[in-house]
């Protein structure tokens, strides 16, 4: 089956190479997975955002150093005398790909859409009371209270053309978990530096440079051919044969080999992303366990045993070949709220773990299914396989269920998993982004990626208050208190922070992006 797929892929890549050989500015970009959808407000997922950033644009952007920079908004500030109102001044002379003018009405439409029912972006905008177009190039966003960090939430919220959206009945966001479709899933009309030319989901997408883009400097890459290639060996073989120019997801076992290969180079760097395991921890019986009358993981002693069973250093050394930063808290060091003390983790202690299971009433352990993606994070399936083995040593018998991320994500958002691996990037560089989606109970705009059943009304209220807290010292104290409870309750089982590697032809230069969202507008060519 894999041989047949490789042959088909080779033919596709060969035809792509022939078609583009006359264009030195064509970049053939390979990743392990495709964007889940092109509906820009449907999925809060890194690969999806990365692809969308080439077509759509946001009000503000984030530089590699973490600072906010202008994009469709040229400036933003709190309105004088009204501390709950943010004012955004918009860029003039911007057009959508179909030629329509970009105006404040498009921003109002997009922010309202992004905070609507089926949007996975809605928690970022939960503190909005209303969005108003003051004139064609001024938007006011009224919050429920002073929200000093709100602009940080806008770096992945894309602006759509209101007229185009209404013409194609796109007022509602795609309900991805329900398998819903709409025109924006495979079609796009943004203001970005590239225009969608063609799309074959999970096969090949082509983007053409937007010659009418507002930026004074045009990118060197005039055409992007985006190739999702799930198999690691096939992806690297395509690079080695010259059939692709850039591989964004380099398997750790291939890094040193590629560094020593003539005509290629590898860029490495840390990512603002935590890899962790989550689990159901409410009182309802697990769906996949041999214990049918209760949930073993609801017992804090069982969660502690699971933490003590995991050897993060072994995962770093053996599975990741040294290319990870073991973590004791589900937060990368880039994020406001991180401390070395929070990031400390216990040494593995299988004997103590077994004793805790026995104390909890499970001397023979129990069974459970672990859901893992196999094409999203660096060595995701291999990490899960290692944890299956580690838990097996203390008597927890784990069945591994491996899927592509397009099938894995709905398990999380749809509450259809008992135990799962997930990664979480933090584009706001602030702890509240983690709390809102991973810790807050699944209510209203919150908890989209929290299938655990963990719910604490007092903690929820404290999390919600972070959006409008203007006293920096009090806010920092609240963040610390929330993390202390999350760690004490073992809500998540963190493993490590990812380190990234991009491999490319030696005449291509692309720096590693801390959010793993590199823009092909930044690619430069050398001799």
């Amino acid at each position: 089956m894999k041989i047949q797929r490789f042959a088909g892929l080779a033919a596709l890549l060969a035809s792509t190479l022939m078609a583009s050989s006359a264009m030195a500015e064509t970049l053939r970009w390979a990743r392990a997975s495709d964007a889940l959808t092109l509906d820009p407000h449907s999925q809060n997922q890194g690969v999806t955002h990365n692809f969308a950033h080439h077509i759509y644009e946001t009000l503000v952007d984030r530089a590699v150093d973490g600072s906010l920079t202008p994009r469709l908004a040229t400036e933003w500030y709190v309105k004088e005398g009204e501390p709950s109102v943010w004012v955004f001044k918009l860029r003039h002379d911007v057009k959508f790909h179909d030629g329509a003018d970009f105006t404040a009405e498009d921003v109002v439409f997009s922010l309202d859409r992004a905070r609507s029912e089926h949007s996975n972006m809605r928690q970022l905008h939960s503190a909005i009371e209303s969005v108003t177009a003051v004139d064609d190039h001024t938007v006011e966003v009224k919050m429920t209270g002073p929200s000093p960090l709100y602009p940080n939430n806008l770096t992945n919220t894309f602006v759509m053309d209101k007229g185009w959206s209404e013409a194609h009945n796109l007022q509602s966001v795609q309900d991805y978990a329900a398998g819903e479709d709409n025109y924006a899933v495979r079609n796009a009309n943004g203001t970005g530096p590239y225009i969608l030319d063609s799309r074959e989901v999970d096969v090949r997408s082509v983007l053409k440079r937007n010659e009418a883009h507002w930026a004074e400097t045009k990118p060197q890459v005039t055409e992007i051919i985006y190739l999702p290639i799930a198999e690691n060996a096939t992806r690297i073989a395509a690079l080695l044969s010259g059939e692709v120019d850039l591989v964004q997801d380099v398997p750790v076992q291939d890094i040193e080999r590629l560094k020593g290969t003539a005509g290629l180079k590898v860029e490495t760097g840390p990512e603002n992303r935590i890899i962790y395991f989550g689990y159901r921890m409410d009182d309802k019986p697990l769906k996949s366990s041999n214990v049918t009358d209760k949930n073993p993981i609801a017992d804090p002693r069982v969660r502690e045993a699971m933490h003590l069973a995991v050897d993060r250093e072994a995962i770093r050394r053996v599975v990741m070949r040294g290319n990870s930063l073991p973590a004791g808290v589900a937060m990368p060091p880039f994020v406001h709220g991180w401390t070395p003390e929070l990031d400390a983790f216990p040494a593995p202690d299988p004997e103590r773990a077994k004793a805790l299971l026995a104390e909890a009433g499970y001397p023979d352990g129990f069974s459970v299914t672990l859901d893992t993606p196999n094409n999203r994070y660096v060595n995701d399936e291999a990490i899960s396989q290692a944890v299956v083995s580690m838990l097996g040593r203390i008597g927890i018998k784990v069945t591994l269920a491996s899927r592509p991320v397009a099938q894995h994500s709905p398990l999380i958002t749809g509450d259809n998993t008992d135990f799962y691996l997930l990664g979480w990037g933090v584009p706001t560089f602030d702890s509240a982004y983690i709390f809102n989606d991973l810790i807050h109970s699944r209510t209203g705009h919150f908890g989209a990626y929290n299938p655990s059943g963990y719910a604490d009304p007092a903690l929820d209220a404290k999390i919600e208050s972070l959006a409008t807290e203007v006293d920096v010292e009090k806010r920092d104290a609240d963040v610390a208190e929330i993390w202390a409870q999350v760690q004490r309750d073992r809500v998540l089982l963190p493993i490590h922070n990812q380190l990234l590697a991009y491999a490319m032809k030696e005449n291509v230069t692309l720096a590693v992006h801390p959010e793993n969202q590199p823009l092909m507008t930044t690619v430069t060519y050398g001799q």
Side-chain angles (χ1 to χ4, degrees), residues 256-335:
E256 293 305 315
R257 174 167 67 110
L258 293 175
K259 283 182 177 179
T261 300
L264 299 178
K265 62 183 179 183
V266 179
E267 298 286 350
T268 58
E271 185 183 9
N272 185 17
R273 181 177 302 280
I274 186 74
I275 302 298
Y276 70 95
F277 288 91
Y279 31 55
R280 281 267 318 286
M281 52 188 292
D282 57 8
D283 293 330
K284 298 176 183 177
L286 300 175
K287 298 175 183 177
S288 64
S289 179
N290 61 336
V291 178
T292 58
D293 60 339
K294 55 185 173 180
N295 177 4
I297 305 176
D299 191 308
R301 292 169 294 189
V302 172
R303 297 196 296 278
E304 185 65 21
M306 295 172 75
H307 281 249
L308 290 172
V310 173
D311 189 337
R312 296 166 177 81
E313 287 292 346
I315 292 173
R316 181 193 66 81
R317 187 178 65 254
V318 179
V319 179
M320 304 302 293
R321 309 285 182 99
N323 290 280
S324 67
L325 181 65
V329 65
M331 158 176 57
F334 290 93
V335 174

Side-chain angles (χ1 to χ4, degrees), residues 29-345:
W29 168 22
R31 289 206 69 174
S33 60
D34 202 353
L36 298 176
T37 175
L38 297 191
D39 186 321
H41 305 134
S42 173
Q43 292 296 289
N44 188 10
Q45 192 252 6
V47 176
T48 303
H49 289 328
N50 193 184
F51 189 80
H53 269 291
H54 293 81
I55 303 169
Y56 289 98
E57 293 183 291
T58 55
L59 290 177
V60 301
D61 210 349
R62 192 177 295 281
V64 172
D65 66 2
S67 61
L68 293 181
T69 59
R71 202 166 183 187
L72 288 177
T74 54
E75 58 178 318
W76 51 94
Y77 51 87
V78 174
K79 189 174 184 179
E80 187 174 356
E82 297 186 53
S84 297
V85 177
W86 276 98
V87 179
F88 293 88
K89 292 293 186 179
L90 306 182
R91 194 175 296 278
H92 289 241
D93 301 320
V94 175
K95 291 188 180 294
F96 286 94
H97 296 160
D98 66 356
D101 290 331
F102 161 68
T103 72
E105 290 294 343
D106 301 307
V107 176
V108 173
F109 172 82
S110 298
L111 290 182
D112 283 344
R113 190 176 190 271
R115 63 194 185 101
S116 64
E117 180 183 3
H118 297 303
S119 171
N120 262 188
M121 309 300 294
R122 63 189 184 277
Q123 58 92 354
L124 292 164
H125 310 288
S126 60
I128 290 179
E129 184 174 304
S130 63
V131 187
T132 305
V134 177
D135 56 45
D136 278 354
H137 296 97
T138 307
V139 171
E140 290 187 355
V141 181
K142 185 176 182 181
M143 316 300 289
T144 56
S147 301
L149 297 179
Y150 176 66
N152 288 274
N153 294 3
L154 291 167
T155 58
N156 285 320
T157 298
F158 300 101
V159 177
M160 301 177 73
D161 178 5
K162 179 183 179 184
W164 179 82
S165 299
E166 291 177 343
H168 294 289
N169 196 29
L170 297 175
Q171 292 90 335
S172 297
V173 179
Q174 174 202 17
D175 186 347
Y176 185 88
E180 188 176 281
D181 200 358
N182 69 31
Y183 186 76
V185 170
R186 281 173 298 279
N187 299 275
N189 180 37
T191 60
Y194 292 93
I195 299 170
L196 181 68
D197 184 66
S198 65
R199 178 154 173 80
E200 299 173 70
V201 177
D202 291 327
V203 178
R204 181 179 188 265
S205 295
V206 178
L207 304 176
K208 302 284 189 179
R209 190 171 70 181
N210 177 12
E211 301 300 338
H213 190 248
W214 53 265
E216 291 184 7
T217 303
K218 296 293 184 286
Q220 292 187 26
V221 175
T222 57
E223 179 184 54
I224 299 169
I225 299 176
Y226 183 86
L227 299 161
I229 306 174
E231 292 88 350
N232 288 340
T234 308
R235 197 163 60 253
I236 298 305
L239 179 68
L240 290 168
S241 68
E243 294 167 329
V244 302
D245 305 304
L246 167 71
V247 169
Q248 189 172 339
D249 304 301
V250 178
V252 294
Q253 63 270 22
D254 291 310
I255 293 174
E256 293 305 315
R257 174 167 67 110
L258 293 175
K259 283 182 177 179
T261 300
L264 299 178
K265 62 183 179 183
V266 179
E267 298 286 350
T268 58
E271 185 183 9
N272 185 17
R273 181 177 302 280
I274 186 74
I275 302 298
Y276 70 95
F277 288 91
Y279 31 55
R280 281 267 318 286
M281 52 188 292
D282 57 8
D283 293 330
K284 298 176 183 177
L286 300 175
K287 298 175 183 177
S288 64
S289 179
N290 61 336
V291 178
T292 58
D293 60 339
K294 55 185 173 180
N295 177 4
I297 305 176
D299 191 308
R301 292 169 294 189
V302 172
R303 297 196 296 278
E304 185 65 21
M306 295 172 75
H307 281 249
L308 290 172
V310 173
D311 189 337
R312 296 166 177 81
E313 287 292 346
I315 292 173
R316 181 193 66 81
R317 187 178 65 254
V318 179
V319 179
M320 304 302 293
R321 309 285 182 99
N323 290 280
S324 67
L325 181 65
V329 65
M331 158 176 57
F334 290 93
V335 174
H336 183 76
W338 181 90
T339 66
E341 293 76 20
L342 280 172
D343 209 20
F345 51 87

